[in-house]
mmCIF file of all heavy atoms in Angstrom:
data_model
loop_
_atom_site.group_PDB
_atom_site.id
_atom_site.type_symbol
_atom_site.label_atom_id
_atom_site.label_comp_id
_atom_site.label_asym_id
_atom_site.label_seq_id
_atom_site.Cartn_x
_atom_site.Cartn_y
_atom_site.Cartn_z
ATOM 1 N N ALA A 963 106.466 102.565 97.366
ATOM 2 C CA ALA A 963 107.389 101.588 96.785
ATOM 3 C C ALA A 963 108.177 100.940 97.930
ATOM 4 O O ALA A 963 108.357 101.527 98.991
ATOM 5 C CB ALA A 963 108.349 102.222 95.798
ATOM 6 N N ILE A 964 108.669 99.694 97.629
ATOM 7 C CA ILE A 964 109.441 98.942 98.626
ATOM 8 C C ILE A 964 110.525 98.178 97.924
ATOM 9 O O ILE A 964 110.323 97.585 96.844
ATOM 10 C CB ILE A 964 108.499 98.013 99.433
ATOM 11 C CG1 ILE A 964 109.253 97.316 100.562
ATOM 12 C CG2 ILE A 964 107.827 97.009 98.513
ATOM 13 C CD1 ILE A 964 108.338 96.607 101.561
ATOM 14 N N ARG A 965 111.713 98.203 98.512
ATOM 15 C CA ARG A 965 112.789 97.335 98.042
ATOM 16 C C ARG A 965 112.548 95.956 98.601
ATOM 17 O O ARG A 965 112.416 95.751 99.824
ATOM 18 C CB ARG A 965 114.148 97.890 98.455
ATOM 19 C CG ARG A 965 114.534 99.147 97.801
ATOM 20 C CD ARG A 965 115.946 99.112 97.245
ATOM 21 N NE ARG A 965 116.090 98.180 96.103
ATOM 22 C CZ ARG A 965 117.200 97.819 95.551
ATOM 23 N NH1 ARG A 965 118.360 98.370 95.983
ATOM 24 N NH2 ARG A 965 117.234 96.979 94.522
ATOM 25 N N TRP A 966 112.530 94.977 97.744
ATOM 26 C CA TRP A 966 112.098 93.647 98.111
ATOM 27 C C TRP A 966 112.956 93.074 99.210
ATOM 28 O O TRP A 966 112.406 92.577 100.201
ATOM 29 C CB TRP A 966 112.108 92.721 96.892
ATOM 30 C CG TRP A 966 111.561 91.356 97.223
ATOM 31 C CD1 TRP A 966 112.281 90.244 97.477
ATOM 32 C CD2 TRP A 966 110.143 91.045 97.376
ATOM 33 N NE1 TRP A 966 111.384 89.187 97.785
ATOM 34 C CE2 TRP A 966 110.077 89.699 97.708
ATOM 35 C CE3 TRP A 966 108.989 91.785 97.241
ATOM 36 C CZ2 TRP A 966 108.877 89.009 97.955
ATOM 37 C CZ3 TRP A 966 107.787 91.141 97.488
ATOM 38 C CH2 TRP A 966 107.738 89.787 97.823
ATOM 39 N N THR A 967 114.233 93.073 99.084
ATOM 40 C CA THR A 967 115.089 92.395 100.028
ATOM 41 C C THR A 967 115.270 93.158 101.291
ATOM 42 O O THR A 967 115.207 92.562 102.416
ATOM 43 C CB THR A 967 116.481 92.156 99.379
ATOM 44 O OG1 THR A 967 116.352 91.242 98.295
ATOM 45 C CG2 THR A 967 117.463 91.571 100.419
ATOM 46 N N TRP A 968 115.450 94.467 101.235
ATOM 47 C CA TRP A 968 115.768 95.219 102.429
ATOM 48 C C TRP A 968 114.572 95.869 103.142
ATOM 49 O O TRP A 968 114.699 96.255 104.291
ATOM 50 C CB TRP A 968 116.783 96.337 102.022
ATOM 51 C CG TRP A 968 118.095 95.794 101.555
ATOM 52 C CD1 TRP A 968 119.115 95.390 102.298
ATOM 53 C CD2 TRP A 968 118.412 95.502 100.195
ATOM 54 N NE1 TRP A 968 120.103 94.880 101.485
ATOM 55 C CE2 TRP A 968 119.686 94.953 100.179
ATOM 56 C CE3 TRP A 968 117.765 95.667 98.960
ATOM 57 C CZ2 TRP A 968 120.349 94.533 99.031
ATOM 58 C CZ3 TRP A 968 118.389 95.240 97.783
ATOM 59 C CH2 TRP A 968 119.662 94.736 97.813
ATOM 60 N N GLY A 969 113.480 96.003 102.443
ATOM 61 C CA GLY A 969 112.304 96.531 103.038
ATOM 62 C C GLY A 969 112.215 98.054 103.119
ATOM 63 O O GLY A 969 111.282 98.581 103.726
ATOM 64 N N ASN A 970 113.157 98.750 102.508
ATOM 65 C CA ASN A 970 113.105 100.195 102.494
ATOM 66 C C ASN A 970 111.839 100.644 101.753
ATOM 67 O O ASN A 970 111.476 100.022 100.730
ATOM 68 C CB ASN A 970 114.312 100.778 101.777
ATOM 69 C CG ASN A 970 115.615 100.245 102.275
ATOM 70 O OD1 ASN A 970 115.953 99.046 102.049
ATOM 71 N ND2 ASN A 970 116.359 101.073 102.997
ATOM 72 N N THR A 971 111.199 101.691 102.255
ATOM 73 C CA THR A 971 109.942 102.131 101.657
ATOM 74 C C THR A 971 109.947 103.609 101.403
ATOM 75 O O THR A 971 110.724 104.358 102.059
ATOM 76 C CB THR A 971 108.769 101.810 102.522
ATOM 77 O OG1 THR A 971 108.904 102.401 103.816
ATOM 78 C CG2 THR A 971 108.612 100.283 102.777
ATOM 79 N N VAL A 972 109.092 104.045 100.533
ATOM 80 C CA VAL A 972 108.849 105.471 100.285
ATOM 81 C C VAL A 972 107.341 105.608 99.993
ATOM 82 O O VAL A 972 106.729 104.727 99.416
ATOM 83 C CB VAL A 972 109.722 105.998 99.136
ATOM 84 C CG1 VAL A 972 109.384 105.315 97.821
ATOM 85 C CG2 VAL A 972 109.577 107.511 98.994
ATOM 86 N N TYR A 973 106.772 106.737 100.419
ATOM 87 C CA TYR A 973 105.340 106.991 100.244
ATOM 88 C C TYR A 973 105.140 108.390 99.694
ATOM 89 O O TYR A 973 105.864 109.318 99.976
ATOM 90 C CB TYR A 973 104.656 106.944 101.616
ATOM 91 C CG TYR A 973 104.599 105.585 102.216
ATOM 92 C CD1 TYR A 973 105.548 105.145 103.109
ATOM 93 C CD2 TYR A 973 103.538 104.711 101.950
ATOM 94 C CE1 TYR A 973 105.557 103.895 103.642
ATOM 95 C CE2 TYR A 973 103.507 103.443 102.537
ATOM 96 C CZ TYR A 973 104.482 103.056 103.374
ATOM 97 O OH TYR A 973 104.432 101.801 103.961
ATOM 98 N N ALA A 974 104.115 108.514 98.885
ATOM 99 C CA ALA A 974 103.618 109.821 98.464
ATOM 100 C C ALA A 974 103.057 110.516 99.642
ATOM 101 O O ALA A 974 102.445 109.931 100.502
ATOM 102 C CB ALA A 974 102.580 109.661 97.325
ATOM 103 N N ASP A 975 103.213 111.840 99.676
ATOM 104 C CA ASP A 975 102.669 112.643 100.776
ATOM 105 C C ASP A 975 101.175 112.478 100.921
ATOM 106 O O ASP A 975 100.649 112.499 102.074
ATOM 107 C CB ASP A 975 103.001 114.113 100.544
ATOM 108 C CG ASP A 975 104.456 114.460 100.775
ATOM 109 O OD1 ASP A 975 105.171 113.598 101.378
ATOM 110 O OD2 ASP A 975 104.905 115.490 100.288
ATOM 111 N N SER A 976 100.503 112.249 99.826
ATOM 112 C CA SER A 976 99.051 112.157 99.886
ATOM 113 C C SER A 976 98.518 110.929 100.597
ATOM 114 O O SER A 976 97.358 110.938 101.028
ATOM 115 C CB SER A 976 98.469 112.154 98.430
ATOM 116 O OG SER A 976 98.996 111.010 97.735
ATOM 117 N N VAL A 977 99.370 109.913 100.808
ATOM 118 C CA VAL A 977 98.908 108.682 101.441
ATOM 119 C C VAL A 977 99.675 108.335 102.747
ATOM 120 O O VAL A 977 99.352 107.352 103.366
ATOM 121 C CB VAL A 977 98.938 107.503 100.479
ATOM 122 C CG1 VAL A 977 98.097 107.773 99.267
ATOM 123 C CG2 VAL A 977 100.400 107.193 100.089
ATOM 124 N N LYS A 978 100.639 109.156 103.076
ATOM 125 C CA LYS A 978 101.373 108.896 104.301
ATOM 126 C C LYS A 978 100.435 108.853 105.531
ATOM 127 O O LYS A 978 99.554 109.734 105.659
ATOM 128 C CB LYS A 978 102.439 109.937 104.543
ATOM 129 C CG LYS A 978 103.652 109.825 103.666
ATOM 130 C CD LYS A 978 104.659 110.916 103.952
ATOM 131 C CE LYS A 978 105.887 110.784 103.069
ATOM 132 N NZ LYS A 978 106.850 111.870 103.320
ATOM 133 N N GLY A 979 100.586 107.854 106.337
ATOM 134 C CA GLY A 979 99.758 107.696 107.512
ATOM 135 C C GLY A 979 98.445 106.938 107.279
ATOM 136 O O GLY A 979 97.814 106.546 108.247
ATOM 137 N N ARG A 980 98.128 106.725 106.026
ATOM 138 C CA ARG A 980 96.899 105.978 105.683
ATOM 139 C C ARG A 980 97.221 104.673 104.975
ATOM 140 O O ARG A 980 96.518 103.664 105.195
ATOM 141 C CB ARG A 980 95.996 106.801 104.830
ATOM 142 C CG ARG A 980 95.409 108.019 105.460
ATOM 143 C CD ARG A 980 94.208 108.594 104.668
ATOM 144 N NE ARG A 980 94.658 108.992 103.338
ATOM 145 C CZ ARG A 980 94.060 108.574 102.241
ATOM 146 N NH1 ARG A 980 93.040 107.714 102.266
ATOM 147 N NH2 ARG A 980 94.495 108.983 101.062
ATOM 148 N N PHE A 981 98.213 104.665 104.089
ATOM 149 C CA PHE A 981 98.558 103.488 103.318
ATOM 150 C C PHE A 981 99.844 102.906 103.801
ATOM 151 O O PHE A 981 100.801 103.652 104.224
ATOM 152 C CB PHE A 981 98.710 103.849 101.830
ATOM 153 C CG PHE A 981 97.435 104.218 101.152
ATOM 154 C CD1 PHE A 981 96.252 104.438 101.797
ATOM 155 C CD2 PHE A 981 97.440 104.394 99.733
ATOM 156 C CE1 PHE A 981 95.087 104.770 101.133
ATOM 157 C CE2 PHE A 981 96.290 104.724 99.063
ATOM 158 C CZ PHE A 981 95.121 104.943 99.761
ATOM 159 N N THR A 982 99.964 101.577 103.769
ATOM 160 C CA THR A 982 101.175 100.881 104.159
ATOM 161 C C THR A 982 101.492 99.832 103.128
ATOM 162 O O THR A 982 100.647 98.981 102.795
ATOM 163 C CB THR A 982 101.034 100.252 105.534
ATOM 164 O OG1 THR A 982 100.680 101.222 106.507
ATOM 165 C CG2 THR A 982 102.374 99.576 105.942
ATOM 166 N N ILE A 983 102.729 99.841 102.621
ATOM 167 C CA ILE A 983 103.192 98.827 101.712
ATOM 168 C C ILE A 983 103.985 97.737 102.471
ATOM 169 O O ILE A 983 104.703 98.095 103.415
ATOM 170 C CB ILE A 983 104.041 99.410 100.585
ATOM 171 C CG1 ILE A 983 104.259 98.445 99.451
ATOM 172 C CG2 ILE A 983 105.347 99.966 101.080
ATOM 173 C CD1 ILE A 983 104.885 99.024 98.187
ATOM 174 N N SER A 984 103.842 96.529 102.096
ATOM 175 C CA SER A 984 104.573 95.434 102.735
ATOM 176 C C SER A 984 104.733 94.281 101.721
ATOM 177 O O SER A 984 104.115 94.328 100.656
ATOM 178 C CB SER A 984 103.859 94.972 103.964
ATOM 179 O OG SER A 984 102.561 94.460 103.715
ATOM 180 N N ARG A 985 105.520 93.321 102.097
ATOM 181 C CA ARG A 985 105.652 92.175 101.222
ATOM 182 C C ARG A 985 105.829 90.902 102.049
ATOM 183 O O ARG A 985 106.254 90.927 103.199
ATOM 184 C CB ARG A 985 106.828 92.325 100.238
ATOM 185 C CG ARG A 985 108.194 91.931 100.764
ATOM 186 C CD ARG A 985 108.776 92.977 101.722
ATOM 187 N NE ARG A 985 110.192 92.852 101.905
ATOM 188 C CZ ARG A 985 110.807 93.071 103.080
ATOM 189 N NH1 ARG A 985 110.089 93.452 104.125
ATOM 190 N NH2 ARG A 985 112.099 92.894 103.189
ATOM 191 N N ASP A 986 105.441 89.779 101.439
ATOM 192 C CA ASP A 986 105.533 88.461 102.035
ATOM 193 C C ASP A 986 106.430 87.680 101.058
ATOM 194 O O ASP A 986 105.957 87.246 100.016
ATOM 195 C CB ASP A 986 104.153 87.844 102.206
ATOM 196 C CG ASP A 986 104.195 86.520 102.981
ATOM 197 O OD1 ASP A 986 105.261 85.813 102.881
ATOM 198 O OD2 ASP A 986 103.206 86.172 103.587
#
């Protein structure tokens, strides 16, 4: 998940290091 304005993110342990969330 990502906060739209601030860019704070959180990841499930199962995907940390493999998946990256971002927004444009």
Side-chain angles (χ1 to χ4, degrees):
I964 185 168
R965 292 228 68 186
W966 185 259
T967 296
W968 297 274
N970 309 72
T971 60
V972 62
Y973 293 91
D975 289 341
S976 61
V977 302
K978 285 181 179 177
R980 295 194 300 126
F981 291 10
T982 303
I983 192 170
S984 62
R985 84 285 196 217
D986 185 335

